[in-house]
């Protein structure tokens, strides 16, 4: 029996009302565990207790830090103002750190998508 036949067989099986109730209780209990929900990466932000607009802060922060760093670097080189050069020296490592965090987040998200697509095949 190949994978496709097993998949069809799983869809045809039905749970009894008692089993469905027990399954719903287990799912409700698991939804209450925020750490488990975070590790599984499932559900919406509302279900996990998070705020959906939080995802935009890191990319926006990286963009603003990169613009500020570029401005400080260009103006510091043009004017030779020590204040601008020191500002660039302070902003640039922070910009790189935040960009690395953003790349790690994107890699994790792509890994999850790849795992989900691989499990469906």
């Amino acid at each position: 029996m190949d994978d496709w036949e097993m998949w069809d067989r799983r869809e045809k099986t039905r749970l009894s009302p008692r089993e469905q109730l027990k399954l719903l209780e287990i799912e409700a209990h698991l939804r209450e565990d925020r750490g488990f929900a975070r590790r599984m990466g499932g559900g919406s932000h509302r279900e996990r207790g998070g705020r959906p607009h939080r995802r935009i802060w890191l990319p926006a922060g990286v963009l603003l830090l990169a613009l500020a760093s570029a401005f400080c670097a260009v103006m510091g080189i043009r004017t030779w103002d020590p204040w601008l050069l020191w500002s660039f020296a302070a902003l640039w490592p922070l910009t790189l750190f935040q960009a690395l965090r953003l790349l790690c987040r994107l890699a994790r998200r792509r890994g999850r998508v790849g795992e989900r697509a691989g499990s469906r095949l």
Side-chain angles (χ1 to χ4, degrees), residues 53-70:
H53 67 275
R54 290 187 75 191
R55 282 189 279 179
I56 196 147
W57 286 111
L58 185 59
V62 170
L63 179 66
L64 289 174
L65 281 170
L67 289 174
S69 297

Side-chain angles (χ1 to χ4, degrees), residues 7 9 79 94 103 111:
W7 185 260
R9 180 179 275 180
T79 63
L94 184 61
L103 289 174

Side-chain angles (χ1 to χ4, degrees), residues 66-77:
L67 289 174
S69 297
F71 175 79
C72 287
V74 170
M75 293 306 292
I77 291 170

Side-chain angles (χ1 to χ4, degrees), residues 8-100:
D8 288 339
R9 180 179 275 180
R10 273 184 257 156
E11 288 182 357
K12 291 178 184 176
T13 57
R14 301 284 179 218
L15 297 175
S16 70
R18 183 173 159 240
E19 291 171 331
Q20 289 177 353
L21 181 63
K22 189 62 178 173
L23 182 61
L24 289 174
E25 288 175 2
I26 292 170
E27 288 175 352
H29 179 69
L30 289 175
R31 266 190 235 109
E32 291 173 5
D33 187 0
R34 289 184 181 178
F36 177 74
R38 187 174 41 251
R39 285 191 307 267
M40 294 303 292
S44 68
H45 284 281
R46 286 189 183 139
E47 286 179 6
R48 292 186 296 193
R51 289 177 265 166
H53 67 275
R54 290 187 75 191
R55 282 189 279 179
I56 196 147
W57 286 111
L58 185 59
V62 170
L63 179 66
L64 289 174
L65 281 170
L67 289 174
S69 297
F71 175 79
C72 287
V74 170
M75 293 306 292
I77 291 170
R78 288 189 67 174
T79 63
W80 286 97
D81 185 10
W83 182 82
L84 284 170
L85 292 172
W86 280 106
S87 296
F88 171 73
L91 283 175
W92 187 241
L94 184 61
T95 304
L96 291 177
F97 175 71
Q98 293 293 72
L100 181 65

